[in-house]
Amino acid sequence: MPKLSWPVLPAWLRWSAAPAEATPLQRRNFINVQIDGIVVGLASAAAPFLPVFLVRLGATNFQVGLLTTMPAVTGLLLAVAVGRFLQRQRNVVPWYGRVRVFSIMAYTLTGLVTLLVPSEHAVLVVLAIWAAATLPQTMVAISFTVVMNGVAGQNGRYELMSRRWSVLGITTAVTVLLIGQVLARVSFPANYQLVFILLSAGGLISLYFSSNLVLPDQAPPLPSARQPMLAELRSAINLVRLQPAFVAFTARRFVFLSGIALAAPIFPLYLVREAHANEAAIGLISTAQTFTLVIGYWLWAGVSRSRGSRLVLLSATLGLSLYPALVSTTLQVEAIVLLAALSGIFQAGLDLVFFDELMKTVPPGQTALFVSIAQSLQYMSAIAAPLIGTLLADYIGLGGALLASAALRALAFLMFVRGGSVPRAVVAE
């Protein structure tokens, strides 16, 4: 096999945050992951405004909830099958790059809706577009974890992910602030057409850098007789039963993520209908939260090295448990900006510790399968919790629904307190 040779990199790109013992190829992977994070950050800036767009089109609470629930339905039905498919691939990297493009291009189609579709059908068409995008979103969710774990190795997860999410966060924060101003100053719906179509171009650039990641081929599992889907599901369940650390952690994680999912459609509704925030204010809230994410990644990576991951886990879950409860007490946009900024610090810790702790409980050689199972549980919460949240909002108000989200998160925090440290996966002999 010919030896790979890389061009000499400029000094500012050589600082890749890769471990000191990393090879040149590993450092190159770290750099590509970070540059890809910048590009994905551009496309991600459109996400906070998608539910707002639906509200402006006249969507009901239930329809806004569907935007969060639909990807979860597809994920729940297909995540294990997708995981098994990826487990059989020699290399997941090509799949990771391609499906991300299809996922991001849904923003292009969304931007075209108000140009091509009568206004009375626009909400349903947008929901149909994002229903179709749920399959690539499911593949991205699983392949992302597999690829990032392969790039980072066992000892570089905090370093790699804190750096990637930092550059992604800075890019998203600046872009959200700018497009919030554009949306507030350009008339509707031309403002959303412009923003969604331009930002979705980031998907094509992302494909270039993600495709340049180089990971060693993995040996696919030995061929076996084709089994019915139910038999494959039973086989996967039996494998999970042998990993009590995985079962315990994913159960507690499920409860906490249910609390987050419950509030997902409530926050934009609360901002628009209760706080009467315009797009510029919503952009400022999202920007404040995203900027502090960057600070949080740096902070919690250091805390983990000096004090261990348990302190990060408990601090992050407690801080995010308080966030929706505090938001429900105010209608002042300035106060919500401050609370969002504080929540960004704790969200950064949650991102890092949930990724790292999950990978500790996954047995070697079974990453794609176990990640798909963990994703399936997350999808279960994302199906029911947003719809429950919007139904609660109809009966107890948007502020009451935020309090329900806080209560569910607090329950998960107490489960983590009682559960102790997360043990590592059992390695089959």
Side-chain angles (χ1 to χ4, degrees):
M1 184 175 180
K3 185 178 179 181
L4 293 170
S5 61
W6 302 103
V8 177
L9 296 171
W12 66 277
L13 278 179
R14 292 180 205 146
W15 186 58
S16 64
E21 67 275 11
T23 65
L25 176 56
Q26 289 171 327
R27 292 184 182 279
R28 184 77 181 195
N29 279 339
F30 265 64
I31 292 169
N32 279 325
V33 164
Q34 291 153 29
I35 298 176
D36 178 61
I38 296 173
V39 178
V40 172
L42 293 173
S44 299
F49 298 100
L50 184 57
V52 179
F53 179 57
L54 279 182
V55 174
R56 300 296 188 211
L57 288 174
T60 64
N61 289 0
F62 179 78
Q63 288 171 325
V64 175
L66 280 178
L67 197 62
T68 305
T69 299
M70 289 188 305
V73 173
T74 302
L76 179 62
L77 294 175
L78 300 179
V80 173
V82 169
R84 285 195 171 276
F85 170 78
L86 293 175
Q87 191 73 51
R88 292 194 292 266
Q89 306 308 307
R90 288 191 175 274
N91 205 305
V92 179
V93 170
W95 291 98
Y96 166 64
R98 293 165 189 164
V99 295
R100 182 188 290 282
V101 173
F102 287 112
S103 177
I104 292 176
M105 294 310 289
Y107 285 110
T108 302
L109 298 177
T110 302
L112 294 173
V113 164
T114 49
L115 282 173
L116 305 176
V117 177
S119 58
E120 62 269 23
H121 302 305
V123 171
L124 293 179
V125 172
V126 171
L127 290 174
I129 290 169
W130 287 96
T134 56
L135 177 57
Q137 285 174 340
T138 300
M139 295 195 73
V140 167
I142 296 171
S143 60
F144 172 83
T145 304
V146 175
V147 170
M148 294 302 113
N149 188 57
V151 171
Q154 289 191 357
N155 300 319
R157 288 193 285 262
Y158 267 86
E159 286 76 10
L160 177 70
M161 300 315 298
S162 63
R163 183 61 56 83
R164 175 188 169 85
W165 284 331
S166 292
V167 298
L168 189 154
I170 292 172
T171 306
T172 300
V174 173
T175 309
V176 165
L177 186 62
L178 293 175
I179 65 176
Q181 299 300 318
V182 171
L183 291 173
R185 286 168 168 74
V186 179
S187 60
F188 181 87
N191 51 358
Y192 281 94
Q193 294 165 3
L194 177 67
V195 164
F196 285 154
I197 292 172
L198 287 180
L199 292 182
S200 61
L204 297 176
I205 307 172
S206 170
L207 177 62
Y208 173 80
F209 289 102
S210 60
S211 299
N212 280 332
L213 294 171
V214 180
L215 295 179
D217 289 346
Q218 61 178 6
L222 295 174
S224 58
R226 193 74 177 172
Q227 291 182 310
M229 184 176 294
L230 284 179
E232 288 196 358
L233 182 59
R234 282 195 295 268
S235 174
I237 292 173
N238 289 334
L239 285 174
V240 169
R241 286 175 176 169
L242 298 176
Q243 303 296 333
F246 176 83
V247 173
F249 177 74
T250 51
R252 299 165 197 154
R253 176 176 174 266
F254 170 82
V255 176
F256 192 86
L257 292 178
S258 295
I260 290 180
L262 190 148
I266 304 301
F267 276 117
L269 290 167
Y270 186 83
L271 292 175
V272 174
R273 294 179 179 169
E274 299 289 336
H276 302 292
N278 62 17
E279 276 77 0
I282 293 170
L284 181 59
I285 292 167
S286 181
T287 296
Q289 188 173 40
T290 309
F291 262 128
T292 54
L293 274 171
V294 177
I295 299 172
Y297 291 137
W298 170 81
L299 170 68
W300 296 117
V303 170
S304 176
R305 285 191 295 268
S306 61
R307 302 289 299 277
S309 60
R310 181 164 171 78
L311 178 60
V312 180
L313 177 64
L314 297 181
S315 299
T317 51
L318 176 59
L320 289 176
S321 296
L322 297 173
Y323 172 52
L326 293 174
V327 170
S328 71
T329 65
T330 181
L331 298 177
Q332 297 296 318
V333 171
E334 295 83 0
I336 296 175
V337 170
L338 177 60
L339 291 172
L342 291 174
S343 77
I345 297 286
F346 296 106
Q347 183 64 53
L350 190 79
D351 291 342
L352 291 172
V353 77
F354 268 15
F355 178 81
D356 188 59
E357 297 297 287
L358 175 63
M359 299 315 300
K360 286 179 184 177
T361 67
V362 171
Q366 297 286 339
T367 304
L369 175 61
F370 274 75
V371 168
S372 69
I373 293 169
Q375 284 293 128
S376 294
L377 289 173
Q378 183 173 343
Y379 289 134
M380 286 177 64
S381 68
I383 291 171
L387 297 181
I388 292 172
T390 53
L391 289 174
L392 283 174
D394 289 338
Y395 288 98
I396 61 177
L398 294 168
L402 290 177
L403 289 175
S405 169
L408 195 54
R409 299 182 197 199
L411 173 62
F413 163 73
L414 294 176
M415 293 171 67
F416 280 119
V417 170
R418 294 189 61 185
S421 300
V422 178
R424 288 191 176 273
V426 177
V427 180
E429 298 294 338

